[in-house]
Amino acid sequence: MRAEGERRMAKTATDEATEEAAPRVPGRFRGRAPDRDFDPAAVREALLPLLRAIEAVPDDVNEPLETETMEPLLRRHPRPGGGFFSRSQLIAGFRAFAEDAGFRFDEARFRRRVQRRPVRTRSGVTPLTVLTKPFPCPGKCIFCPNDVRMPKSYLSDEPGAQRAANNRFDPYLQTWNRLAAFDATGHPVDKVELIVLGGTWSFYPEAYQVWFVKRCLEAMTDFGVGHDERDAFDPGTPDFEEIDADVRGDRFGRNPYNARVTAFLKERQEGELLLGHEAADWAALDVAQRANETAGARCVGLVLETRPDHVDEEEVVRLRRLGATKVQLGVQSLDEAVLAANRRGHGLEETRRAFDRLRRAGFKLHVHWMANLLGATPESDRADFPKLFEDPAYRPDELKLYPCSLIETAELMGPWKRGEWRPYEDEELLEVVADAMPRVPRYCRVTRVIRDISSDDIVVGNKRTNFRQIAEDEIARRGQHLVEIRAREIRGAAFENASLEAKDTGYETATGREVFLEFVTPEDRIVGFLRLSLPKEASFVEELGQNALVRELHVYGGSVRLGHAPDGAAQHRGLGARLLDRAADLARDAGYEALSVISAIGTRDYYRKQGFADGALYQHRPLRD
Ligand code: SF4
């Protein structure tokens, strides 16, 4: 927990932070101007229609608008000169125009409507996304954008990508500035899930990986005590805004990304792909990890993303040494022909092996599956999706369900122009998604249904950002309901501790038996859960032997700062300890000698207090005297 004095120091350092905290990249300030300089009258033509659109959203409840509703409106009415209006600018505009605009709402109601919802931190953990720098990717996937200003597969006008570019992909600046923005908008930052995105992580040199994670951790630790090293940023870091970004998928035919990015990096970095300081060794990372264990802003989860064919045993151990707890894996399809048509460069055997290795090492598996790829049809997609859960080789813990959209820089432009690929009609896509979602079992969380990209980037394909809601409405209309985790999360709702019910769901995988332990309310809202692996053979990670393994422990809470639990919040009520005890009992009864946990850097201390002893990469609790 960050001491109050420390919090005050951090606050002082971020007093000037706006919603998009100003990065300190020399010569490239693109953060928002302070609101006191904002003149609504100067942008009335753009702003007034947005205010009216916000007011016109039908909603009987006096609640803040959902992000899924608010963001498309902001995008449709951008700020002249670039970017989007901030919440405080909307309120300033409402106040300035109230006299003559004839609004139905008074200011208090309008304020409530545009207030930022605490969705990001509803699970009690603040997700913080950072991007690695543009770098060659071994993939040649034809649906993947070739925006050479970004790490492969990302688009420069995605909000998170813009933030990363503003910070020239520097991990320290990205992390520190994002924490400052969260802190300034009232989000707790003491427990952070660090999500590293960009291309294929496993293809970046090891020294860069170590350095990148180390700098993120150092930024968190520094932020927690109000220490600020942002001025140490190397001004020689290339600015990818200066790269020749004119890439069109249909003109180039084949992926031009790697050649263009490699040439730019070498030209700006004396023939090297990495700058001299973009490297660190394991000993330095170890120091940064230990410092972050009990820091004011601590890393309670580290997510890295990679391709199935890069997950060998050595890579799995490396991911763990970095402190990763979850891996995002691009599965995309379970149909060999579709994988080949889209030039994924790997088949199902690699996908199965990746699941196998990652699960045996205790990682949470967050997979991406795509509908509407080249060679797929609505019928084949409806047949493909169920395999994710029917086949014991897969059965992921989390899922992103992305329909393919055509981006101008993707090679898929060629097949589209030749009439070999077309986007599904709205109804076809709805059929696929509404058919898929009710099949997701209660142990899996559907984190996203649509990739959040600007409609300006989509040549053809779904542009409805509220597609998840549309699909959920259709599912309800069919009389079905969802049991996947996100649909059942307790979020901010109150509950009676005494009414909670323990529920265990067992299922087989290729590596053994999994048990998903939950605490649920009488209405089946999920308050906490634990993923327990009972492996059928010893892991290739020597330290684990054949121990039972806690792959995830999650207890929900509202926007709660450590040590400040309001009534009704699920955290800090000992639910985590009760779940661990249940897991230990189950494992002991099944004949296991010890229970291991894939702890994050910032949860090591918690597990020590729960009777776990530190190992090299995991923590362990004996199950017998
Ligand atoms: S591996 Fe991922 S990032 Fe690389 S080309 Fe394929 S989809 Fe894009």
Side-chain angles (χ1 to χ4, degrees), residues 487-526:
R488 297 189 296 116
E489 284 169 346
I490 187 74
R491 306 207 168 187
F495 62 90
E496 286 288 328
N497 216 11
S499 70
L500 294 181
E501 187 192 331
K503 199 165 193 141
D504 299 349
T505 305
Y507 56 101
E508 301 298 324
T509 67
T511 56
R513 183 165 177 74
E514 295 285 315
V515 188
F516 183 65
L517 296 86
E518 298 172 76
F519 276 118
V520 293
T521 66
E523 299 78 31
D524 202 25
R525 304 289 299 277
I526 185 165

Side-chain angles (χ1 to χ4, degrees), residues 205-274:
E206 179 180 289
Y208 177 83
Q209 297 176 1
V210 174
W211 170 77
F212 195 93
V213 173
K214 170 179 157 292
R215 290 301 284 158
C216 291
L217 294 176
E218 286 171 348
M220 282 185 214
T221 304
D222 284 357
F223 187 82
V225 292
H227 182 68
D228 182 356
E229 276 185 10
R230 287 178 294 170
D231 285 339
F233 171 77
D234 178 358
T237 306
D239 185 349
F240 273 82
E241 282 292 305
E242 292 163 10
I243 193 171
D244 173 9
D246 184 10
V247 175
R248 307 243 171 83
D250 58 332
R251 269 209 277 125
F252 287 84
R254 283 290 162 102
N255 173 353
Y257 180 94
N258 288 358
R260 187 76 64 86
V261 167
T262 300
F264 182 75
L265 284 170
K266 288 191 168 176
E267 177 203 316
R268 300 297 170 102
Q269 298 178 170
E270 297 174 356
E272 301 292 336
L273 287 179
L274 297 180

Side-chain angles (χ1 to χ4, degrees), residues 34-49:
D35 285 329
R36 61 178 174 272
D37 295 336
F38 177 66
D39 176 12
V43 288
R44 183 181 171 104
E45 213 173 304
L47 182 53
L48 188 55

Side-chain angles (χ1 to χ4, degrees), residues 281-527:
D281 60 27
W282 290 102
L285 177 65
D286 190 54
V287 171
Q289 288 178 336
R290 285 183 197 284
N292 188 254
E293 277 183 12
T294 52
R298 78 184 72 152
C299 180
V300 299
L302 172 60
V303 188
L304 300 171
E305 65 175 345
T306 193
R307 287 167 53 90
D309 54 338
H310 277 67
V311 182
D312 57 21
E313 292 181 359
E314 196 184 331
E315 175 63 3
V316 172
V317 172
R318 185 173 16 248
L319 292 167
R320 186 60 203 136
R321 284 183 81 186
L322 289 164
T325 50
K326 187 192 297 181
V327 174
Q328 294 205 49
L329 200 61
V331 166
Q332 319 309 12
S333 173
L334 296 176
D335 182 324
E336 295 279 16
V338 171
L339 291 175
N342 290 272
R343 279 207 271 281
R344 274 293 289 172
H346 69 81
L348 293 179
E349 190 48 38
E350 286 85 352
T351 306
R352 287 195 197 97
R353 272 208 299 264
F355 268 80
D356 192 285
R357 287 169 181 153
L358 289 166
R359 191 144 37 208
R360 284 165 70 199
F363 285 97
K364 288 173 283 290
L365 285 150
H366 187 176
V367 311
H368 303 182
W369 180 88
M370 295 181 73
N372 201 184
L373 287 170
L374 178 65
T377 63
E379 295 71 37
S380 73
D381 276 339
R382 285 212 298 278
D384 196 65
F385 184 84
K387 292 183 217 159
L388 267 179
F389 298 102
E390 286 168 3
D391 190 334
Y394 308 118
R395 300 189 168 162
D397 305 310
E398 295 183 15
L399 178 68
K400 280 181 181 160
L401 205 165
Y402 285 156
C404 180
S405 295
L406 181 62
I407 309 296
E408 196 184 8
T409 58
E411 195 186 331
L412 186 59
M413 283 292 283
W416 175 62
K417 287 196 168 172
R418 294 193 296 274
E420 296 161 11
W421 178 87
R422 67 165 180 89
Y424 292 167
E425 301 292 341
D426 289 353
E427 279 309 307
E428 290 174 322
L429 185 58
L430 185 58
E431 274 293 314
V432 171
V433 176
D435 188 66
M437 287 182 67
R439 295 175 186 274
V440 180
R442 57 189 300 120
Y443 60 78
C444 181
R445 185 176 196 270
V446 181
T447 55
R448 288 199 86 93
V449 173
I450 289 291
R451 187 167 160 189
D452 186 18
I453 39 184
S454 161
S455 57
D456 293 344
D457 288 321
I458 299 173
V459 181
V460 288
N462 175 65
K463 295 187 180 182
R464 293 168 297 177
T465 49
N466 64 338
F467 193 77
R468 183 181 196 132
Q469 190 57 53
I470 294 170
E472 288 181 359
D473 291 348
E474 171 62 14
I475 291 161
R477 195 191 63 75
R478 295 177 182 184
Q480 295 179 301
H481 76 286
L482 303 176
V483 294
E484 58 93 13
I485 293 172
R486 190 176 181 274
R488 297 189 296 116
E489 284 169 346
I490 187 74
R491 306 207 168 187
F495 62 90
E496 286 288 328
N497 216 11
S499 70
L500 294 181
E501 187 192 331
K503 199 165 193 141
D504 299 349
T505 305
Y507 56 101
E508 301 298 324
T509 67
T511 56
R513 183 165 177 74
E514 295 285 315
V515 188
F516 183 65
L517 296 86
E518 298 172 76
F519 276 118
V520 293
T521 66
E523 299 78 31
D524 202 25
R525 304 289 299 277
I526 185 165
V527 171

